[in-house]
Amino acid sequence: MKFEMKKLVQAILVVVLVFVQACSSPFTQSRGEEIDTSGAIDTEAFLKTVNGSPELYKVRGVALDVCQKKGCWMTLKNEANQTIRVTFKDYGFFVPVDISGKEVIVEGLAQVEVIPEADARHYAEDAGQPFEPEMQNSVSFVADGVLFTE
């Protein structure tokens, strides 16, 4: 009987610890595929490693701009003011339009690319900014999933 009680107490402690750890994450909202916070790199490290061929990344940063029409894209920015444009796989999900300034984790395929001028103009218009030719040089990130804070 004493042995069974000890196992029961241990099991309860494990459940409580898992619950506390899950509740302590600031990331309370998600969109797209389920992802977790483990292994996420910051925008600085990401921008130092991303190149012209698509690779899978998990990046942690702060949402800068978000499409104000429906949340169909967002940008992240690093300390050197380089931006990362994030779109969502197969246009299958969107993020809230009010998450600018909130911490996010995105996971998906990324690469450096030159985007067509028409797309760059569209993104600038959606962000309420004037078009500038350097907007065509972009880091493309197609997220499978997004975590964000409330």
Side-chain angles (χ1 to χ4, degrees):
M1 177 93 166
K2 189 175 186 179
F3 180 71
E4 290 175 18
M5 183 62 96
K6 184 176 180 181
K7 278 191 164 191
L8 179 61
V9 169
Q10 288 175 340
I12 291 171
L13 284 174
V14 168
V15 169
V16 168
L17 287 174
V18 168
F19 180 74
V20 167
Q21 184 178 15
C23 290
S24 66
S25 173
F27 298 97
T28 56
Q29 300 290 317
S30 67
R31 297 291 189 274
E33 293 180 14
E34 258 187 61
I35 63 172
D36 61 33
T37 59
S38 66
I41 60 174
D42 65 22
T43 56
E44 292 293 325
F46 167 72
L47 287 169
K48 288 178 183 173
T49 60
V50 67
N51 58 42
S53 58
E55 291 184 45
L56 185 64
Y57 291 92
K58 188 183 297 187
V59 178
R60 182 181 204 132
V62 175
L64 178 64
D65 292 315
V66 178
C67 172
Q68 292 300 294
K69 292 185 179 178
K70 58 184 161 183
C72 59
W73 58 263
M74 69 178 164
T75 58
L76 308 178
K77 183 172 82 167
N78 74 351
E79 298 295 322
N81 290 325
Q82 295 171 295
T83 59
I84 303 163
R85 175 161 305 282
V86 180
T87 57
F88 309 111
K89 185 178 178 182
D90 299 328
Y91 213 59
F93 63 95
F94 305 115
V95 296
V97 298
D98 63 350
I99 67 166
S100 292
K102 296 183 179 178
E103 191 172 13
V104 299
I105 294 179
V106 294
E107 182 174 40
L109 290 176
Q111 69 184 32
V112 175
E113 68 178 0
V114 176
I115 59 174
E117 182 177 334
D119 290 347
R121 287 185 182 279
H122 171 77
Y123 295 148
E125 180 184 316
D126 283 354
Q129 299 173 348
F131 168 75
E132 297 174 16
E134 62 270 8
M135 292 175 162
Q136 290 182 259
N137 297 321
S138 177
V139 174
S140 167
F141 197 114
V142 179
D144 297 324
V146 179
L147 291 173
F148 54 94
T149 59
E150 279 190 66

